[in-house]
Amino acid sequence: MFKIEKLIIKNDFEEFEYKFEKGINYFQGTNATGKTEYFRFIDYMFGGTDETLEKEWFRSVKAASLKFTYRDNSYIINRNLGTQDKNDFICLGNLKALNINQIELCSKLNSVFAKDAINVENLENFVGEKLTHRTFTLFNFLSENSQGKLHDFFSKSAELKYAIKLPILLDYIFNPHLLEIQKIKFEINRLQAEIRTLEFEKEKQRFIQEQINIQLGILNIPTSYDGKAKSKKKIEESLQKIETDGLPKRSSVKNTITDLQSMYNNLNQQIKVYTNRINDLKKFKKDDEKKRALYTTFKEIVENNPQVSYLVDPILDMVDNIDKNIAFTNHYIINNTVEKLIQQKKHLEIEINKRAAELDVFSSNEVESAIILLKNYLNIALTGMQDVTDLKKKLLSKKNDLKLLQNADDKDKIIRLSHVITKLYLSAANESYFVKEDKVKDIYIKYFKKGNILQPTIKGDNIYVGSMARHTLIQICGYLAFLELLIREDKYPLVPILCLDHISKPFDSSNLKAFGTVINEIYKNLTKHDLQIFIFDEKSPQDFGLVVDHYENLVTPKKTGFVPFFHKDSKGKES
């Protein structure tokens, strides 16, 4: 059960109380009576930012308090307008959090609407960040300026902070593999931890190997350490021989340091050439993948519209060419030439250090120190380390599996949503001539997750473009169908409300009741305890054919609009 019970707004001297009922709450007012401000203020009270308060209406309001009931608990939200750090969250009979900032207030509210720990964890694991009830307010507000939108049809999608989160949110809502995704993410985290550990040990081994080879040069031992057990054993034997027979004689230098450095510089140059080539190929690959995604999207659009099917074959050819291009570049990118050159470079570094050491004369103290260091490094040297390459391949494979699962859609669920939208829309056939015509034409409203699109079609797959009123009614049905879906699944941090601003604007008098019919239809699927609706409009409820649970006119003998403390004198100035 959910119900916003009352809203109290205050100034320095008095306060005014608005009361609400479960179900439909209707607020009527002419232009400039604060309907849109009231609409936005509900969002503000549930954790919205102070941007809501930019209108002159709110200059005379100092604080506001909202009381609501959810799942047998009652809560009070107190907000000091214009002061984000002075908010109160109170659970009656339980806890109080006073003088908290807006972020803390949102956290408290989210803890109320989050259903349980498992669902919260699943959502966070899927999207890779914490999504709160604030993100889900996408589904709660249909504003006047976005009426009639069928592509990306939620009002809040126009705001960047919501637009960037909507696609992954829809992926989560319509994904059929949540448990499998959770298991794969656990495995990915385990592999990443194991790879980090091995890479740390590998770096440690590289340092030890370098230090051992430096000491070998000082002691003039004619070998080098490569990290393997056989090499380690050979060095230990040479150490024993030094302790009995003394230092070995200097070997004749076959290659001068100058020759070796020349070879080293040449390798460096080759590595740069190959690295630049790989970077270029990666850019080509990235461009090819973008083209492929674009062409695939075109292909999907064309396939859904048989009347332009003649475009399919050229697009398929383009996608095929892109696939071949990607495979061709991959052939070069996975080439191990650079890896081999880097290994040769490392061997040359060791050899140069050895030759440099052979040209130096070391004191007995330096020799003794080298023997001690060599023994110590050999004692901590790691041999037979696990190769991290196989683990990285396994990690890449798991990430690819994860991407496939995350991009999968529950097509049956999307079809069911499309059925609900269409059914809600057609319920108004007796109240609207255009809905009646659409019913005769066998209209069907398809929902497309990609782009968040409501696509009306007739006679199978023919795209149908209609009037502003038709589009707005379809859009309302989209909102209601989503709210029914989310409320029924009962696993999302959703505030179960719908707020509609100036909804009569696109309708003429003969079609107004179509909206009322659709609203009445949703309450055949949900109870008024499940969903609370707030309508702000200049028309009366009777014009929509609505029987509302609470009605209030924003203009009374005591006030001129939503904010009772706001008045204008005869010259139009605020007083």
Side-chain angles (χ1 to χ4, degrees), residues 213-259:
N213 284 317
I214 289 172
Q215 311 314 316
L216 290 174
I218 293 172
L219 298 173
N220 198 26
I221 296 176
T223 187
S224 61
Y225 179 60
D226 58 9
K228 297 179 181 177
K230 186 176 179 181
S231 174
K232 180 180 178 182
K233 186 177 180 182
K234 187 175 180 181
I235 293 169
E236 287 173 339
E237 290 172 352
S238 297
L239 269 177
Q240 288 178 355
K241 193 171 182 182
I242 287 175
E243 290 175 340
T244 56
D245 300 339
L247 291 176
K249 293 181 180 179
R250 298 283 179 184
S251 61
S252 58
V253 180
K254 294 179 181 178
N255 298 99
T256 66
I257 289 181
T258 305
D259 293 335

Side-chain angles (χ1 to χ4, degrees), residues 441-454:
K441 293 175 181 176
D442 193 24
I443 193 171
Y444 183 75
I445 302 165
K446 288 184 178 180
Y447 174 71
F448 292 93
K449 183 174 73 68
K450 186 180 290 186
N452 190 38
I453 297 169
L454 300 172

Side-chain angles (χ1 to χ4, degrees), residues 342-558:
I342 290 172
Q343 291 299 324
Q344 290 178 28
K345 178 182 169 184
K346 288 178 182 176
H347 288 309
L348 273 176
E349 284 175 349
I350 293 170
E351 194 65 24
I352 289 170
N353 288 333
K354 280 180 63 181
R355 293 294 180 258
E358 288 178 352
L359 297 174
D360 290 332
V361 178
F362 299 97
S363 66
S364 58
N365 287 337
E366 288 175 319
V367 170
E368 289 175 6
S369 176
I371 292 172
I372 294 169
L373 287 172
L374 187 55
K375 286 182 178 180
N376 288 336
Y377 284 128
L378 286 171
N379 285 334
I380 59 174
L382 304 171
T383 56
M385 280 187 62
Q386 182 181 351
D387 189 0
V388 77
T389 306
D390 291 337
L391 286 176
K392 286 185 175 180
K393 286 180 181 177
K394 191 173 181 181
L395 176 63
L396 182 61
S397 174
K398 290 291 181 185
K399 285 184 174 180
N400 289 334
D401 291 343
L402 177 64
K403 188 180 290 186
L404 288 173
L405 288 177
Q406 285 182 325
N407 291 333
D409 290 332
D410 187 338
K411 293 183 179 179
D412 289 338
K413 192 173 181 179
I414 292 175
I415 290 171
R416 288 196 299 273
L417 182 71
S418 299
H419 286 339
V420 172
I421 295 169
T422 304
K423 184 181 176 183
L424 285 169
Y425 178 73
L426 292 177
S427 69
N430 293 331
E431 301 295 344
S432 166
Y433 69 87
F434 66 74
V435 180
K436 188 175 183 178
E437 287 178 357
D438 291 345
K439 188 174 183 179
V440 173
K441 293 175 181 176
D442 193 24
I443 193 171
Y444 183 75
I445 302 165
K446 288 184 178 180
Y447 174 71
F448 292 93
K449 183 174 73 68
K450 186 180 290 186
N452 190 38
I453 297 169
L454 300 172
Q455 180 63 71
T457 60
I458 57 172
K459 304 297 182 186
D461 287 313
N462 296 308
I463 295 175
Y464 188 40
V465 179
S467 64
M468 178 69 167
R470 177 183 277 109
H471 284 187
T472 303
L473 190 61
I474 292 172
Q475 184 183 22
I476 292 165
C477 294
Y479 267 86
L480 292 171
F482 258 100
L483 283 167
E484 181 189 344
L485 170 67
L486 300 179
I487 289 168
R488 284 192 179 281
E489 291 192 349
D490 196 30
K491 62 179 183 180
Y492 309 98
L494 175 77
V495 183
I497 60 173
L498 176 61
C499 298
L500 303 162
D501 183 29
H502 203 179
I503 205 64
S504 66
K505 183 180 178 181
F507 298 97
D508 60 33
S509 57
S510 64
N511 291 314
L512 279 175
K513 289 186 177 179
F515 165 72
T517 303
V518 167
I519 294 295
N520 291 329
E521 186 70 18
I522 198 65
Y523 281 121
K524 293 179 182 178
N525 304 330
L526 298 171
T527 72
K528 291 186 177 181
H529 290 290
D530 295 324
L531 176 65
Q532 194 174 22
I533 296 178
F534 295 84
I535 302 171
F536 304 90
D537 205 276
E538 61 186 17
K539 301 288 185 181
S540 70
Q542 291 76 23
D543 293 328
F544 291 109
L546 280 172
V547 177
V548 301
D549 300 283
H550 174 76
Y551 170 82
E552 196 161 342
N553 198 315
L554 293 176
V555 179
T556 69
K558 294 184 178 180

Side-chain angles (χ1 to χ4, degrees), residues 112-373:
V112 172
F113 294 107
K115 301 304 184 243
D116 57 57
I118 293 175
N119 286 318
V120 171
E121 184 180 356
N122 285 343
L123 178 58
E124 289 184 14
N125 285 338
F126 186 91
V127 302
E129 62 176 299
K130 186 174 181 179
L131 293 188
T132 68
H133 75 289
R134 290 301 308 162
T135 303
F136 281 81
T137 57
L138 267 163
F139 306 101
N140 298 137
F141 295 90
L142 174 53
S143 64
E144 177 184 349
N145 57 11
S146 65
Q147 288 173 4
K149 285 178 61 180
L150 296 185
H151 287 64
D152 203 10
F153 69 91
F154 293 119
S155 292
K156 285 197 174 187
S157 294
E159 299 177 46
L160 181 61
K161 62 183 177 182
Y162 291 101
I164 59 177
K165 291 180 180 178
L166 179 59
I168 196 165
L169 183 57
L170 293 175
D171 284 343
Y172 178 73
I173 291 171
F174 292 105
N175 194 285
H177 303 297
L178 295 179
L179 289 177
E180 296 95 316
I181 286 170
Q182 192 171 1
K183 290 177 183 177
I184 288 181
K185 282 203 167 186
F186 178 81
E187 180 66 12
I188 286 174
N189 290 336
R190 187 191 66 78
L191 285 169
Q192 286 174 332
E194 191 172 348
I195 288 170
R196 281 195 299 269
T197 301
L198 285 173
E199 286 183 334
F200 173 78
E201 294 296 338
K202 192 173 181 181
E203 194 60 37
K204 178 180 174 183
Q205 171 75 356
R206 190 177 292 115
F207 173 78
I208 291 171
Q209 185 175 337
E210 182 182 334
Q211 294 303 313
I212 287 174
N213 284 317
I214 289 172
Q215 311 314 316
L216 290 174
I218 293 172
L219 298 173
N220 198 26
I221 296 176
T223 187
S224 61
Y225 179 60
D226 58 9
K228 297 179 181 177
K230 186 176 179 181
S231 174
K232 180 180 178 182
K233 186 177 180 182
K234 187 175 180 181
I235 293 169
E236 287 173 339
E237 290 172 352
S238 297
L239 269 177
Q240 288 178 355
K241 193 171 182 182
I242 287 175
E243 290 175 340
T244 56
D245 300 339
L247 291 176
K249 293 181 180 179
R250 298 283 179 184
S251 61
S252 58
V253 180
K254 294 179 181 178
N255 298 99
T256 66
I257 289 181
T258 305
D259 293 335
L260 293 173
Q261 285 177 336
S262 176
M263 293 166 63
Y264 182 84
N265 292 334
N266 186 38
L267 278 174
N268 252 345
Q269 193 61 34
Q270 289 184 57
I271 290 169
K272 285 180 183 178
V273 170
Y274 275 99
T275 302
N276 290 336
R277 185 180 298 176
I278 286 175
N279 289 335
D280 289 341
L281 290 171
K282 282 182 178 178
K283 289 178 183 177
F284 294 148
K285 179 175 180 284
K286 196 171 182 180
D287 290 342
D288 287 344
E289 287 174 342
K290 287 180 180 177
K291 290 176 186 175
R292 188 184 191 285
L294 180 62
Y295 294 150
T296 303
T297 302
F298 287 155
K299 175 175 169 286
E300 289 172 357
I301 293 171
V302 170
E303 285 178 341
N304 289 324
N305 300 283
Q307 67 269 32
V308 288
S309 58
Y310 64 91
L311 294 172
V312 172
D313 291 337
I315 291 174
L316 286 174
D317 291 339
M318 284 187 285
V319 172
D320 185 53
N321 288 333
I322 291 296
D323 284 337
K324 289 175 182 175
N325 245 357
I326 292 173
F328 185 71
T329 56
N330 276 340
H331 175 73
Y332 284 94
I333 290 171
I334 61 175
N335 192 299
N336 61 0
T337 303
V338 174
E339 186 69 28
K340 289 181 179 178
L341 289 173
I342 290 172
Q343 291 299 324
Q344 290 178 28
K345 178 182 169 184
K346 288 178 182 176
H347 288 309
L348 273 176
E349 284 175 349
I350 293 170
E351 194 65 24
I352 289 170
N353 288 333
K354 280 180 63 181
R355 293 294 180 258
E358 288 178 352
L359 297 174
D360 290 332
V361 178
F362 299 97
S363 66
S364 58
N365 287 337
E366 288 175 319
V367 170
E368 289 175 6
S369 176
I371 292 172
I372 294 169
L373 287 172

